[in-house]
Structure formats: C-alpha cells, structure tokens
Amino acid sequence: MPGNRVVVYQGPGQVSVEQIDYPKLELPDDVVDGLGLPKQAPHAAILKIVSTNICGSDQHMVRGRTTAPVGQTLGHEITGEVVEAGDDVLFVKPGDICSVPFNIACGRCRMCFEGKTGICLNVNPARPGAAYGYVDMGGWLGGQAEYVMVPYADFNLLRFPDRDQALEKILDLTMLSDIFPTGYHGAYTAGVTTGSTVYVAGAGPVGLAAAHAAQLLGASVVVVGDLNADRLEQARSFGCETVDLSRSGELGDMIAEVLGEPEVDAAVDAVGFEARGHGQDAAEQPATVLNDIMTIARAGASLGIPGLYVTGDPGGVDENAKVGQLGVRIGLGWAKSHSFTTGQCPVKKYNRLLMNMILSGKARIAEAVNATVLPLSDAPDGYQQFDRGAAKKYVLDPHGMVAA
C-alpha cells in the first residue's frame, strides 16, 4: 500500500507536508455522525493526483483569517487518475483522468437536482455545501496530496475523453476544478455578453480567470483593477486594460480614462473579504470592492461576486467584520436596480463546456493565470510566494506527471 503525503496547516503563515494514511472508500466521521450516512462508500473512487493547485481560498486559512484549526489538511483543486473504484461506480474506471469539482455533491438531493451543487444538502452537517480540505466544509481530507478519495464518483468526476490529450493540456485542464469555472461564473452572472464593457476587481488567479472568461463571452473591453503591479502586468499580457488602485483618486475617473465614461456594463468582485482600500498605503476595508462595483456598474447591471466572504474571521478589522457583517452600501445597489450573485460556483454547471473550450484551443487559461509547476514538497514555498503577491498560479505535481 503506498503512502500519502498531504499539505497541512500548522498555524498562521505556516504549512508543512505530512504523511497520512492512504485513503479508504469511506466517508468522513463528521458526515457519518452528523447526517447518519453509512461509513462505507461503494459510490467512491480513489484518485492518484496528477495536479493540485494552491488557491486564494486556501491562503485565507493559512493567513489565520478563518477558524481553521491547526492540522487542517488543505487543497480542493484536484485533477487525478482513478486507481480504485467502489462496487457502485459504473461509469469511471481505473486509468481514467478526471477533473474533480471542488464542490462535493451527492447528486441526489434537491439542490443537486436543481444544479446547485455548491450547496448540496448531504455532504456537510454544518451547513449546505462541502469542499475538500476546507474549514467547516464537512471534514473531507484535502487534495494537495498524493491520493484522495472522491465520493459519489459517477456524479462528481468529469472524465477527460483522451488520456494523452489530457496530459498534454493538463496545465489548462487543472484549472477546471475551481478557478476557471469560478471566474466564468463571476463573469456569466454579471451578465457579460457580446460587446460588454467589464470591470474585474482583483488580478489574482480568480480575477484573471474572470477576465479571460469575459473575453470568451464576447466582452469588448475588460478592465482589471489591483494594487499589485506584477499582477496588473499579467492581466495586460492577454489583452486586458488595467487600473492601478495604488494610485489615489476615484475608481470612476480611472475607468473613464480607459473607456471614456466612468461606468461599465458588468462588474465582478474577485477579491472577497480581505479587500483593501485605494492608495499606496491603503488599509484593509472589507466592503471596499462591493461598494466599488456598485459605484461603477451602470443602472440595471448585474454584479458577479465569486470572491470569498466568510462568517468567521478572527483577523477582521472590527467586531462586525469578524462575523462577516460589512459596511455595504446596499441603498446604492437598490437605487441602481442592481442584481447580485454570491456563493460558491456550482462547478458542474460549467466544467464540461469549459473543458471543450480548452481541448479545442479556444481557451488558454494556463497562460492567462501564469500557471507555474512545483513539486508537492515545495508547497510551503509556493504558499509563501503566493502570499507575497506573486503573479502566478501554483500547480503542485505530486507524482511528476505534469512534466511528463
């Protein structure tokens, strides 16, 4: 039986790679005890992980900005090869290379039937919705590892049609587990369409994915805002306009410098609750981006909000922020008849179609987010570099399969 190394949170700013048991076809105790489900999981599969990515959502935990305990395993962006399938798994088999949506979903509850797989009712006793390796999300082990167990495999796994083609395009396909669908969800729910002008707040990987998605949806101009010069340069590398939020001044005026008017047709918040204000030495202001996108989105616009907001933030700037209560100008949004879409992206709604865009060469998401490969043992360094603002999307390669 092979071993299994996994990335583990060791306290604010610290992760390590630790040895744990090889996975079994069993559900986590939290799910078994809280939902009364059987421990044995013949509907599950075990995957040898081909690639697994470091996500900004992981970084929130590693910064100590959630209630994640020391010992929390990490990683929810998973692509892998099936090496074992339970007796009830009918449609995937050993040798298949598959993308794993970060949302864990049963495929049998009301939410799953409605396509809302981000809020499945049967995978987390604490609240609707679950994810691998994330605090308060059901106790599922993380996927920044060598092997992982995927429940309800027939429903959750997206099998790539050709193994050789998948390995050739793995740096693009690895983004299907989260950030490409999440960015697309942000742009799509913001109403981006042919000829739209679009503002994307945040030039991290999700923001860059949203910007690329907006281009695929037909936007005429995509403007990306950030404080980080390297990340803004990355946005420009694939045709985006940018605004440097380290400058003083009003965002609408910066938008007008690009578009000739101070508003856009659609806006996306790809930052979330650790947002900062504008200017060179701006302090954290968690409602900044939400208020910005209401300010510069035209009347009647839709706002996509894939950026993460939490109900527990020990590092919040005040007592309200610590429980996710922010100073959002809802009156402004109401007066402008804005609509808002929040919450986890339902990855299965988009991943198959985005896979087709990658395999056909229409989408080049790895280039857009500057995918950068590291061995699993270098995960701690990847976290540190990402936290310092590197304009890269770190892809961990546990078995040396990405290079091959």
Side-chain angles (χ1 to χ4, degrees):
M1 186 70 69
N4 189 23
R5 295 180 301 152
V6 66
V7 179
V8 179
Y9 172 60
Q10 300 291 6
Q14 299 294 323
V15 302
S16 62
V17 181
E18 305 291 337
Q19 191 77 30
I20 62 171
D21 291 338
Y22 185 82
K24 299 178 181 178
L25 298 176
E26 295 179 349
L27 299 183
D29 290 339
D30 288 2
V31 173
V32 171
D33 297 340
L35 295 171
L37 298 178
K39 181 74 172 175
Q40 297 301 311
H43 48 74
I46 295 172
L47 272 61
K48 176 182 178 180
I49 294 176
V50 175
S51 59
T52 175
N53 316 325
I54 297 175
C55 181
S57 298
D58 300 319
Q59 199 66 267
H60 292 308
M61 286 190 289
V62 173
R63 289 184 184 130
R65 297 300 298 270
T66 72
T67 55
V70 170
Q72 170 75 56
T73 59
L74 300 175
H76 56 270
E77 299 191 11
I78 304 164
T79 305
E81 177 185 357
V82 176
V83 293
E84 182 179 350
D87 291 341
D88 287 350
V89 178
L90 303 179
F91 303 112
V92 294
K93 62 185 184 301
D96 288 342
I97 296 182
C98 304
S99 181
V100 184
F102 80 89
N103 326 106
I104 301 171
C106 72
R108 308 175 185 188
C109 70
R110 174 180 176 176
M111 294 296 101
C112 288
F113 288 152
E114 293 179 3
K116 300 173 182 175
T117 52
I119 44 175
C120 174
L121 303 176
N122 291 330
V123 287
N124 182 2
R127 64 182 72 177
Y132 303 89
Y134 213 86
V135 61
D136 295 332
M137 297 299 280
W140 302 86
L141 288 175
Q144 286 169 13
E146 294 176 309
Y147 297 89
V148 72
M149 187 276 290
V150 175
Y152 310 106
D154 280 327
F155 184 71
N156 283 305
L157 293 178
L158 173 65
R159 183 178 66 84
F160 300 138
D162 181 88
R163 178 187 177 89
D164 291 340
Q165 184 187 36
L167 290 173
E168 180 183 345
K169 292 182 173 286
I170 197 66
L171 282 182
D172 292 290
L173 295 171
T174 193
M175 306 305 167
L176 290 173
S177 57
D178 183 354
I179 67 162
F180 196 15
T182 293
Y184 190 93
H185 180 63
Y188 181 80
T189 57
V192 178
T193 187
T194 305
S196 297
T197 57
V198 184
Y199 176 68
V200 177
V206 169
L208 297 173
H212 186 44
Q215 293 173 331
L216 295 174
L217 286 164
S220 58
V221 183
V222 180
V223 183
V224 179
D226 204 292
L227 298 155
N228 183 315
D230 290 340
R231 290 182 170 182
L232 291 174
E233 178 61 30
Q234 180 61 28
R236 289 191 291 272
S237 75
F238 61 97
C240 298
E241 301 289 340
T242 59
V243 292
D244 181 359
L245 300 180
S246 68
R247 296 166 46 196
S248 59
E250 296 297 322
L251 178 58
D253 294 337
M254 299 180 195
I255 296 289
E257 291 175 8
V258 178
L259 299 178
E261 58 181 355
E263 65 179 15
V264 293
D265 298 319
V268 179
D269 171 5
V271 177
F273 73 104
E274 288 193 66
R276 307 184 75 81
H278 302 172
Q280 188 68 43
D281 299 311
E284 187 169 308
Q285 297 177 25
T288 297
V289 173
L290 294 171
N291 291 329
D292 274 352
I293 62 175
M294 286 188 287
T295 301
I296 55 92
R298 63 170 173 77
S302 298
L303 310 179
I305 309 174
L308 176 66
Y309 289 87
V310 295
T311 57
D313 173 12
V317 295
D318 54 37
E319 293 306 309
N320 285 332
K322 289 178 181 179
V323 294
Q325 186 170 309
L326 311 180
V328 177
R329 295 181 62 195
I330 192 65
L332 175 61
W334 190 94
K336 296 176 77 173
S337 294
H338 285 161
S339 60
F340 302 74
T341 300
T342 66
Q344 289 186 37
C345 165
V347 170
K348 281 178 59 66
K349 181 175 181 178
Y350 307 106
N351 65 350
R352 185 176 300 276
L353 301 176
L354 294 176
M355 175 188 74
N356 291 341
M357 294 293 281
I358 289 169
L359 296 179
S360 69
K362 299 291 195 303
R364 303 176 70 89
I365 184 65
E367 290 181 7
V369 302
N370 195 14
T372 303
V373 181
L374 295 174
L376 184 66
S377 57
D378 286 358
D381 182 60
Y383 270 95
Q384 290 183 6
Q385 296 300 325
F386 191 30
D387 192 46
R388 294 179 188 134
K392 299 177 179 180
K393 174 67 173 177
Y394 287 107
V395 177
L396 302 177
D397 179 10
H399 296 281
M401 297 179 72
V402 174

